[in-house]
Amino acid sequence: MSSLESLYQQVILDHSKEKHGRADLGEGDVLDPLSTARSHQYNPLCGDEVTVQITLGGTDVETVAWTGDGCSISQAATSVMHDLIVGRPVDEARGILADYRTMLRSRGEGEPDEEVLGDAVAFAGVSRHANRVKCAILGWTAFEDALLRIEAARPTAKDES
Amino acid sequence: MSSLESLYQQVILDHSKEKHGRADLGEGDVLDPLSTARSHQYNPLCGDEVTVQITLGGTDVETVAWTGDGCSISQAATSVMHDLIVGRPVDEARGILADYRTMLRSRGEGEPDEEVLGDAVAFAGVSRHANRVKCAILGWTAFEDALLRIEAARPTAKDES
Amino acid sequence: MTLTSTQATPLDHDEVEAIRADFPILHRTVGDGAQLVYLDSGATSQRPRQVLQAEYDFATTSYSAVHRGAHTLASEATDAFEAARETVARFVGVPTDGVVWTRNATEGLNVLAAALTDPEAGQYTLKPGDEVLVTEMEHHANLVPWQRAAARSGATLRWIPLTDAGRLDLATVDGLINERTKVVAFAHASNVLGTINPVAELVAKAKAVGALTILDACQSVPHLPVDLGALGVDAAVFSGHKMLGPTGIGVLAARPGLLDALPPVLTGGSMVERVTMETATFREAPQRFEAGPPPVAQAVALRAAVDYLDRVGMDRIAAREHQLAQLLLDGVDSVAGVRVIGPNDAENRTATVAFEVEGVHPHDVGQVLDAAGVAVRVGHHCAQPVHRRFGVNASSRASAYLYTTDADVERFVQALGSVRGFFGRS
Amino acid sequence: MTLTSTQATPLDHDEVEAIRADFPILHRTVGDGAQLVYLDSGATSQRPRQVLQAEYDFATTSYSAVHRGAHTLASEATDAFEAARETVARFVGVPTDGVVWTRNATEGLNVLAAALTDPEAGQYTLKPGDEVLVTEMEHHANLVPWQRAAARSGATLRWIPLTDAGRLDLATVDGLINERTKVVAFAHASNVLGTINPVAELVAKAKAVGALTILDACQSVPHLPVDLGALGVDAAVFSGHKMLGPTGIGVLAARPGLLDALPPVLTGGSMVERVTMETATFREAPQRFEAGPPPVAQAVALRAAVDYLDRVGMDRIAAREHQLAQLLLDGVDSVAGVRVIGPNDAENRTATVAFEVEGVHPHDVGQVLDAAGVAVRVGHHCAQPVHRRFGVNASSRASAYLYTTDADVERFVQALGSVRGFFGRS
Ligand SMILES: Cc1ncc(COP(=O)(O)O)c(C=O)c1O
Ligand SMILES: Cc1ncc(COP(=O)(O)O)c(C=O)c1O
C-alpha cells in the first residue's frame, strides 16, 4: 500500500462522497438549548470549516447533523463521526473521541482499538501527516464544543442542591 | 611600527594633549553671522561631540576655536585642523578638507600629499580603521558646516545683481 | 515592467542543471522515494550552497555586533553588513541610505502604515477624508495594515477591482485615484494570480494627484529585473527568503527623503541619538527604522544571494521564467477538470500558477501531488479576497524559480493528471 | 535568582577548553597576529559548530515555508519550527503557547508597549494617571518604548534610582510601586553594571498592586538558569544572538492569558482568521503576534543553541561565570587608574564588567586592547542614562561567557595595564 493509499483508505474516500449526516442546518436559533446545540469550527490555515449540531435525548446523542466545506479528510471524518456517535451515550462518544485523538497524535506509532473506533480506524494513517491532523479532528471538535454548550446550559447537580 | 603605533602617531598623541584652539565658547550668540558661525557635531554611536566656531576675515579663515568631548583621535584631529586652516584662504582650507577626506576613505591605499595636508598626514593610519574615520572627521565636519552657515548668511553675487 | 520572451536569452537546460547542482535540498526524495519537485518558491525559495557558505564563513571568521565597537571583529562585521546594504540597494536601484532592514516584507508594510498614521509624519499623516488605495489581489500583508491604518486615521480604504481574466480593472482606476488619494499600495506581481501589474501607469496617475506609491515587490524582485528608481515608487518592500536568501530578513526600500520625514515605529538601541530617562531623540534614516540589533548574518547571506542572482542575470532568469509560465499554463490546461485562477496567457505574468481541480479540495490535490514528490502550496496563500473574487476558498498553486526544470513541470502535470481519478471524479 | 558560587560546580579548565573547540571563530587572530580574546559576549555571543550545523542541515534537507502547506517539506519544516518553540518554552519555564518569536528582544518590548497603549487592550490599556515604572539602569530598548507609550497614553514614566554601588535603590521602591502603577518593566541583569536585580521582591510588590511585570531577560537567560514561571513575571524578552543562537530572532515569553488579552501590533499573513477587503479577524496567541513568515531557520538554530546550553548545564555555566566575574573584578582592580562602574563584588552579578580608565577615552582604550587581540565593547552600550548616573558619557566593558578562559582574563588585564602608559598618563 503506498503512503497515499494508507492515508486515503477506501472508507475515507467513500465517506467523503456520501457525507452521512450532512444536512442544511438553516440559520434558525437552536430550539431547546438544554438538549440541542451547534458549534462552528474554522481552520484559519486552510479555510476549512464545519458546523455540527447535536441533540441529546437524556444522556444519549440522539441526532448529529452537520454542514461544512473542506477537504476529503475533514468531510469523511465528520461523516464517520456521525455514524459512530448517533445513538450512543454521551460518555461513550466522549471515550471514542479520546481514543481518536490519541490515535491521531500517535505519529503512526499507536495501535488503534477497532472495537472502540470502528470505521474511524481508517484515519490512523492521518497521524503520519501532522498537517492533516487538524482536518481529521475539525468535526469532532465541533461535536465536543456543542456538548459543552448543552452542559453549560443545563443546571448542574450543584446548582440544584 | 605596530599597527597601534601607525594609528596613534606621535603627532596625534601630542595634539590630543595640547588641543590647539580649544577654548571656552560660552553660550552667547554669534556676533556677526556674516563672518562668524558655530557648528555642533555629534556621533551618536560613541557619544563624541565637538563644537567649532570660525570667524572669516574676508575670504580667509581668521580664527578657529573649538570645544568638545571625545577620543584622542577626534581631539587631535580638531587641534591639527586648527593649526592648518587658521590664516588660510577659505578655498585652500576646503581643498585640504577634500584631500583629508579622500585620505581617510582610502582604507590605507592612498598616498597622502604632505605638501597639502601637513601634520594631518598623521591620520593616514586611521583610514585602516573604518570605525575611527568618524572620529577623525568630526571637527572638520563642524568646520565645513560653519562655513556653509556663513555663506548662507551672506548675500550672494546673484542676490546683489 | 513589461515582460516578454524577447528580452534576453532564457537559461538553457544545461545552465538550469548547473544551477540545480548548487541547491542540495533539490536532490532529496520524499515519501516513498519520489525525487523532489519543488514548486513552492512563491512561498519561499531554497538557498544555494554559496549563500549557506557565506553565512558560515561570516559566522566563523568575522561575526560580531555591528556599529558599536572599536574592535577588529566589530569593524569587519560592520563592513560586511554595510556592504550588504550597498549591494541590495544597487540591485533594486535605490540609494544605499534608502535601504532599511526589516524582518520580512510584512514588517516593512506595517512600518509604513504605522508611520503614516502617526501625527509626527506631518504632511504625510493620514486624516479623515483621505483615501488609501490598494487592489483586490493584495496579499494580507499589503491589506490588513492598511485596513488598520484607515480605521485609526479615519481615512477610507478603497481598492481596484479585478477583471475575470485576473488583471486589474484599469477602467476603474481614473475614478479611484483622485485628489483624496494619499497612498496607492499595490503588488508588483500577485502571489496568487501571477499577474504583473502596470507599475508605471499606476505611479503616473498617483503622482499626478500627489499620492505616495508603495510597491509590494515580494513577487517581482526575486523574479524580474526591478529598478525601483526608474519605476519612481516612493517605497517598496521585499523579502530575503523568496530570493535565495535566509528567513529573518526583509527590505524596506524607499526614497531617503520620505524616510527622513517619517517618525520611527520601533524604538530602542541603535536608532537613538540622545537618551535621558525622560526623552529621546532619533537618528536619521535608515538607522531610525532599525531598532535593536539588525539581522547581521542574514544581511551577509542576502548579499550572497543577490550576488548569485546577479551572476546568473535577472534578465535571463525572467526570460526563463517566462518560458516556465507558458509551460505551466499549457500543462495545467492539458488536464481535464482543472481551471487556472489568473491570466491564461504568459504575457505580463510570473511563473506562479494557481488552479482549481473540479470536485477535489486543494488539500487533497496537494496531498496527491506530494505523494508523487511534487511540492505545491494549497490554501488561500494569505490572499483570501482574491480567492473569494474567483469563487473559491482556496486553491493549489505551482510556483517556479530559476532552478525549475522542464522535467519538473512535466512531473507536476503528470501527477496533476492523476488527481481526479484518485478521488473517483471523471 | 540569587547567584552564589556554591550552587553548582563551575566548568573546569578542560571543560572550557572542550567548549572552545566548538567555536571556530575563537581560534582566529587579529591585527598583528594576536590570538583573539573575545570579551564582548554581552553585545552578542558566538555560535558553536553545532548551531551552524543545525542550520545548515535544516536548509539542505527540510527547509520550506511553515504551517501553510500540504507537502512533505512544509510539514517537516513546521515540525522543526514548532519543536523549537517547545524547547525554548521549556528552557525558560513557560507554556509553549506563551512563546512568541520576534526579531530581537527590542521588538518584543515594542510589541508590549504598543499593545498596552492600544484601546483594544481593555483593562490593560494605559490611561492618563497610570504609572509605568522602569529603572535607571535600563537598556534603551526597555526605556524608549515606555517613554513613547507614556507620551501616547498620558501615563507617567517613573524609575527606580540606583545606589552609588550600582544596585537598585530598594529603599525607594515602596513609594514608587503604588496603586497607580500598571507596569513594572525592568532588567533581570544590567548590560552595563552586571547587577542582577531581585526579581522576586519586585514581582511581589508589583503583584500586590496589580501591576504587570515585564522582565528584560536579555542578560540573564543566556547566563543563568531562569524559570520565568517560578519568577512569576507576566512577560519577558530575550534574544537568540546573545545565547549562542543567530541574529534575527528574539523571544517574547508571556503568560498565554496576557497574550490572549492583547491586540496584535503587526498584521499580515499567518496571524489572521478571516479577511475581507474591509476587515479582518485575528488568530489566538502566539500566532496573533507573528505576522508574516517567522524566522524559521533561526528558530531551528536557536533550538540547537538551547540544546547546547542545556547539555553544558545552565547551573554550571552560571557557577563558572561567577568565577569569571570575580576574576574580572580582581583584574580590573589590580590596574592603577581604572574604576569599575557597577558593583565591586561578584555576588548577584554577572561576568560583565564596565570600567573607566582615568584620562583615556573608552574608544582609545578599546583600540589599545584590540591591538593586543582583546575585544571589548566601548561606548554607551545603549544605556546612556546609567552612564550619566555614574558621571561618564561612555565606558569600556568586558563581558565573558561559557567559552571564556582564565587566560583570556589575564590577557585582558595585562593589556589594560598598558593603556594609560601608552597615552602618557601615569
Ligand atoms: C505578494 C506578497 N506580498 C507580501 C508577502 C509577505 O512577505 P514576507 O513573507 O516577507 O512577509 C508575500 C509573501 O508571501 C507576497 O507574496
Ligand atoms: C539588557 C538588555 N536589554 C535589551 C537588549 C536588546 O536586545 P536585542 O539585542 O535582542 O534587541 C540588550 C542587548 O543589547 C540588553 O543587553
Side-chain angles (χ1 to χ4, degrees):
Chain A
M1 197 161 56
S2 75
S3 71
L4 196 62
E5 283 157 354
S6 75
L7 172 63
Y8 291 108
Q9 308 224 348
Q10 197 55 46
V11 174
I12 295 181
L13 293 176
D14 292 346
H15 271 275
S16 75
K17 275 180 247 164
E18 294 161 13
K19 302 183 185 176
H20 301 173
R22 194 175 163 109
D24 184 355
L25 295 179
E27 291 280 317
D29 279 345
V30 163
L31 288 179
D32 178 3
L34 297 184
S35 61
T36 301
R38 184 185 280 194
S39 168
H40 173 253
Q41 296 292 321
Y42 177 64
N43 181 348
L45 292 180
C46 58
D48 287 3
E49 44 195 323
V50 66
T51 304
V52 170
Q53 176 171 312
I54 60 171
T55 302
L56 303 190
T59 56
D60 287 359
V61 180
E62 206 169 82
T63 65
V64 171
W66 62 277
T67 186
D69 208 33
C71 64
S72 59
I73 305 277
S74 76
Q75 301 284 294
T78 313
S79 172
V80 168
M81 175 184 83
H82 168 272
D83 292 2
L84 273 174
I85 63 176
V86 168
R88 291 255 190 183
V90 165
D91 283 354
E92 272 184 39
R94 276 222 168 88
I96 299 172
L97 170 54
D99 271 33
Y100 183 68
R101 257 212 189 102
T102 306
M103 177 183 79
L104 289 178
R105 290 182 181 158
S106 70
R107 298 187 159 259
E109 302 297 316
E111 279 291 332
D113 184 347
E114 195 160 353
E115 294 282 300
V116 177
L117 290 172
D119 271 0
V121 294
F123 294 88
V126 176
S127 69
R128 292 182 197 277
H129 297 265
N131 54 342
R132 303 306 294 274
V133 168
K134 276 215 174 148
C135 312
I137 202 85
L138 202 66
W140 287 86
T141 307
F143 160 67
E144 190 180 32
D145 184 48
L147 212 52
L148 287 172
R149 282 168 198 241
I150 296 175
E151 288 172 350
R154 289 180 173 181
T156 62
K158 264 209 209 102
D159 289 342
E160 281 166 340
S161 73
Chain B
M1 196 160 58
S2 76
S3 71
L4 197 62
E5 282 157 358
S6 75
L7 172 64
Y8 291 108
Q9 307 223 352
Q10 197 56 45
V11 174
I12 297 181
L13 294 176
D14 292 346
H15 271 276
S16 76
K17 275 180 247 163
E18 293 161 14
K19 302 182 185 177
H20 302 172
R22 192 173 164 111
D24 184 354
L25 296 180
E27 293 278 317
D29 280 341
V30 164
L31 287 180
D32 177 4
L34 298 185
S35 62
T36 302
R38 183 185 281 197
S39 169
H40 174 252
Q41 297 292 321
Y42 177 63
N43 181 348
L45 292 178
C46 60
D48 287 4
E49 45 195 322
V50 67
T51 303
V52 170
Q53 176 172 313
I54 59 171
T55 302
L56 304 190
T59 56
D60 288 357
V61 180
E62 206 171 84
T63 66
V64 171
W66 62 277
T67 184
D69 208 31
C71 64
S72 59
I73 305 279
S74 75
Q75 302 284 296
T78 314
S79 172
V80 168
M81 173 183 85
H82 167 272
D83 291 2
L84 273 174
I85 64 177
V86 167
R88 292 253 189 184
V90 165
D91 284 352
E92 271 184 40
R94 274 222 168 89
I96 299 173
L97 170 53
D99 271 32
Y100 183 68
R101 261 214 185 99
T102 306
M103 175 183 80
L104 288 179
R105 290 182 180 158
S106 70
R107 297 188 159 261
E109 302 297 314
E111 278 290 336
D113 183 349
E114 195 160 354
E115 293 282 299
V116 177
L117 290 171
D119 271 0
V121 294
F123 294 88
V126 175
S127 70
R128 292 181 194 277
H129 297 264
N131 55 343
R132 303 305 295 275
V133 169
K134 276 215 174 147
C135 311
I137 202 84
L138 202 66
W140 286 86
T141 307
F143 159 68
E144 190 180 32
D145 184 49
L147 211 50
L148 287 172
R149 283 169 199 242
I150 295 174
E151 287 171 349
R154 288 182 175 180
T156 62
K158 266 209 208 103
D159 289 344
E160 281 168 339
S161 74
Chain C
M1 170 61 38
T2 302
L3 184 67
T4 65
S5 48
T6 54
Q7 285 180 312
T9 316
L11 302 171
D12 67 25
H13 176 271
D14 292 348
E15 288 172 310
V16 173
E17 289 299 333
I19 286 170
R20 287 175 73 78
D22 291 331
F23 291 78
I25 198 170
L26 298 180
H27 304 283
R28 72 165 271 180
T29 60
V30 298
D32 302 327
Q35 177 66 39
L36 174 66
V37 172
Y38 186 72
L39 288 173
D40 198 14
S41 293
T44 198
S45 67
Q46 297 296 343
R47 277 181 281 175
R49 284 181 209 287
Q50 289 83 341
V51 170
L52 297 168
Q53 190 70 45
E55 220 177 314
Y56 184 85
D57 288 348
F58 179 63
T60 54
T61 58
S62 299
Y63 176 65
S64 157
V66 293
H67 287 308
R68 292 186 246 165
H71 60 75
T72 303
L73 290 189
S75 60
E76 289 181 12
T78 304
D79 284 354
F81 173 65
E82 291 301 336
R85 199 190 299 269
E86 258 176 65
T87 299
V88 169
R90 195 184 26 70
F91 186 63
V92 295
V94 298
T96 303
D97 56 355
V99 166
V100 174
W101 301 118
T102 59
R103 82 170 178 188
N104 50 32
T106 302
E107 191 205 342
L109 292 163
N110 274 274
V111 163
L112 289 170
L116 293 172
T117 45
D118 190 322
E120 289 169 41
Q123 61 166 130
Y124 294 116
T125 307
L126 291 169
K127 299 175 304 298
D130 287 350
E131 292 180 6
V132 174
L133 184 67
V134 296
T135 84
E136 204 179 354
M137 65 170 79
E138 295 312 312
H139 187 281
H140 295 158
N142 198 29
L143 172 60
V144 184
W146 299 114
Q147 290 177 345
R148 308 220 344 144
R152 280 181 184 180
S153 62
T156 303
L157 182 70
R158 306 189 70 183
W159 54 91
I160 304 174
L162 306 183
T163 66
D164 290 342
R167 304 272 179 195
L168 291 182
D169 185 354
L170 293 174
T172 67
V173 170
D174 282 330
L176 286 167
I177 299 185
N178 56 55
E179 70 290 351
R180 292 181 303 281
T181 311
K182 292 297 176 302
V183 175
V184 181
F186 62 102
H188 194 170
S190 159
N191 68 316
V192 177
L193 308 172
T195 312
I196 297 176
N197 289 317
V199 180
E201 191 175 334
L202 292 170
V203 167
K205 289 184 203 274
K207 278 206 196 303
V209 299
L212 289 177
T213 47
I214 295 172
L215 191 69
D216 176 353
C218 284
Q219 296 290 344
S220 59
V221 163
H223 302 286
L224 318 171
V226 174
D227 182 336
L228 295 170
L231 290 173
V233 294
D234 292 293
V237 300
F238 52 97
S239 56
H241 71 98
K242 292 193 205 283
M243 52 191 287
L244 312 187
T247 56
I249 189 164
V251 174
L252 162 57
R255 268 198 298 114
L258 175 62
L259 291 178
D260 281 329
L262 297 179
V265 175
L266 299 179
T267 58
S270 314
M271 55 72 71
V272 289
E273 264 179 17
R274 270 174 213 278
V275 181
T276 65
M277 286 308 292
E278 288 90 354
T279 189
T281 59
F282 305 117
R283 295 182 63 191
E284 73 290 11
Q287 281 71 32
R288 186 191 303 168
F289 296 96
E290 296 181 352
V296 183
Q298 290 75 35
V300 169
L302 182 55
R303 181 193 185 186
V306 167
D307 285 345
Y308 191 97
L309 292 170
D310 254 345
R311 245 178 349 253
V312 178
M314 287 310 299
D315 52 346
R316 302 203 57 211
I317 292 172
R320 167 64 184 158
E321 291 197 38
H322 183 67
Q323 282 185 337
L324 286 164
Q326 193 65 61
L327 281 176
L328 283 167
L329 286 169
D330 291 346
V332 169
D333 197 49
S334 72
V335 180
V338 179
R339 171 176 77 113
V340 168
I341 301 175
N344 268 310
D345 61 304
E347 292 309 300
N348 284 319
R349 198 191 196 301
T350 63
T352 289
V353 176
F355 54 90
E356 191 195 357
V357 179
E358 222 178 274
V360 185
H361 189 278
H363 249 203
D364 296 321
V365 175
Q367 199 79 53
V368 174
L369 295 183
D370 184 54
V374 180
V376 301
R377 184 123 306 229
V378 299
H380 52 57
H381 320 309
C382 297
Q384 292 178 19
V386 72
H387 280 88
R388 211 168 287 124
R389 166 65 179 79
F390 289 95
V392 290
N393 272 334
S395 66
S396 307
R397 182 188 71 184
S399 52
Y401 206 4
L402 74 169
Y403 40 60
T404 304
T405 62
D406 291 9
D408 283 343
V409 177
E410 281 156 29
R411 291 255 321 275
F412 156 65
V413 173
Q414 191 181 3
L416 184 61
S418 74
V419 169
R420 297 185 74 248
F422 183 84
F423 291 102
R425 318 277 160 187
S426 56
Chain D
M1 167 63 36
T2 301
L3 183 68
T4 65
S5 48
T6 55
Q7 286 180 313
T9 316
L11 302 172
D12 66 25
H13 176 269
D14 292 348
E15 288 172 310
V16 173
E17 288 298 335
I19 286 168
R20 288 175 73 79
D22 292 331
F23 291 79
I25 199 170
L26 297 181
H27 304 284
R28 73 165 271 181
T29 59
V30 298
D32 301 327
Q35 176 66 39
L36 174 66
V37 171
Y38 186 70
L39 288 173
D40 197 14
S41 293
T44 198
S45 67
Q46 297 296 343
R47 280 182 278 174
R49 283 182 209 286
Q50 289 84 342
V51 169
L52 298 168
Q53 189 70 44
E55 223 178 312
Y56 184 85
D57 289 347
F58 179 64
T60 54
T61 59
S62 300
Y63 175 66
S64 158
V66 294
H67 287 308
R68 291 184 246 168
H71 60 75
T72 303
L73 290 189
S75 60
E76 289 180 11
T78 304
D79 285 354
F81 174 64
E82 291 300 335
R85 199 189 299 271
E86 258 175 66
T87 299
V88 169
R90 195 185 26 70
F91 186 64
V92 295
V94 297
T96 303
D97 56 356
V99 165
V100 174
W101 301 119
T102 60
R103 82 170 178 189
N104 50 31
T106 302
E107 190 205 343
L109 292 163
N110 274 274
V111 163
L112 289 169
L116 293 172
T117 44
D118 188 322
E120 291 169 40
Q123 61 166 132
Y124 295 116
T125 306
L126 291 169
K127 298 177 305 296
D130 287 349
E131 292 181 7
V132 173
L133 185 66
V134 296
T135 84
E136 203 178 355
M137 65 170 78
E138 296 311 313
H139 187 281
H140 295 159
N142 198 30
L143 172 59
V144 185
W146 299 114
Q147 290 176 346
R148 307 223 342 146
R152 279 179 184 180
S153 63
T156 304
L157 182 69
R158 306 189 68 183
W159 54 89
I160 304 173
L162 307 182
T163 66
D164 290 342
R167 305 272 179 193
L168 291 182
D169 185 354
L170 294 172
T172 66
V173 171
D174 282 330
L176 286 167
I177 299 185
N178 57 54
E179 69 289 350
R180 293 181 302 280
T181 312
K182 290 298 176 301
V183 174
V184 181
F186 62 101
H188 193 169
S190 159
N191 69 315
V192 177
L193 307 172
T195 312
I196 298 175
N197 289 317
V199 180
E201 190 173 335
L202 292 170
V203 168
K205 289 187 205 272
K207 277 203 196 308
V209 298
L212 289 177
T213 47
I214 295 172
L215 192 68
D216 176 353
C218 285
Q219 296 289 344
S220 59
V221 163
H223 301 286
L224 318 171
V226 173
D227 182 337
L228 295 171
L231 289 174
V233 293
D234 292 291
V237 300
F238 52 97
S239 55
H241 71 97
K242 291 192 205 282
M243 52 192 287
L244 311 187
T247 55
I249 189 165
V251 175
L252 162 57
R255 269 197 299 112
L258 175 62
L259 290 177
D260 281 328
L262 297 180
V265 175
L266 299 180
T267 58
S270 314
M271 55 72 71
V272 290
E273 263 178 16
R274 268 173 214 279
V275 181
T276 64
M277 286 309 292
E278 289 89 357
T279 187
T281 60
F282 304 116
R283 295 183 63 190
E284 72 290 12
Q287 280 72 31
R288 185 188 306 166
F289 296 97
E290 294 180 354
V296 183
Q298 290 75 35
V300 169
L302 182 55
R303 181 193 185 186
V306 166
D307 286 344
Y308 191 98
L309 291 171
D310 254 344
R311 243 175 356 250
V312 178
M314 287 309 300
D315 52 346
R316 301 203 56 212
I317 292 171
R320 168 63 184 159
E321 291 197 38
H322 183 68
Q323 281 184 339
L324 286 164
Q326 193 65 62
L327 281 176
L328 282 168
L329 286 170
D330 290 348
V332 169
D333 197 50
S334 72
V335 180
V338 180
R339 170 176 78 114
V340 168
I341 301 175
N344 266 310
D345 61 303
E347 292 307 301
N348 284 319
R349 197 189 196 303
T350 63
T352 289
V353 175
F355 55 89
E356 190 196 358
V357 179
E358 221 177 277
V360 185
H361 190 277
H363 250 202
D364 296 320
V365 175
Q367 201 77 53
V368 174
L369 295 183
D370 184 55
V374 180
V376 301
R377 183 123 306 230
V378 299
H380 52 56
H381 320 309
C382 297
Q384 291 177 21
V386 72
H387 279 90
R388 212 168 285 124
R389 167 64 179 80
F390 289 96
V392 290
N393 272 336
S395 66
S396 308
R397 181 188 73 183
S399 53
Y401 206 4
L402 75 168
Y403 40 60
T404 305
T405 62
D406 291 8
D408 284 343
V409 177
E410 281 157 28
R411 291 254 322 272
F412 156 64
V413 174
Q414 192 182 2
L416 184 60
S418 74
V419 169
R420 298 185 74 247
F422 183 83
F423 291 102
R425 319 278 161 187
S426 54

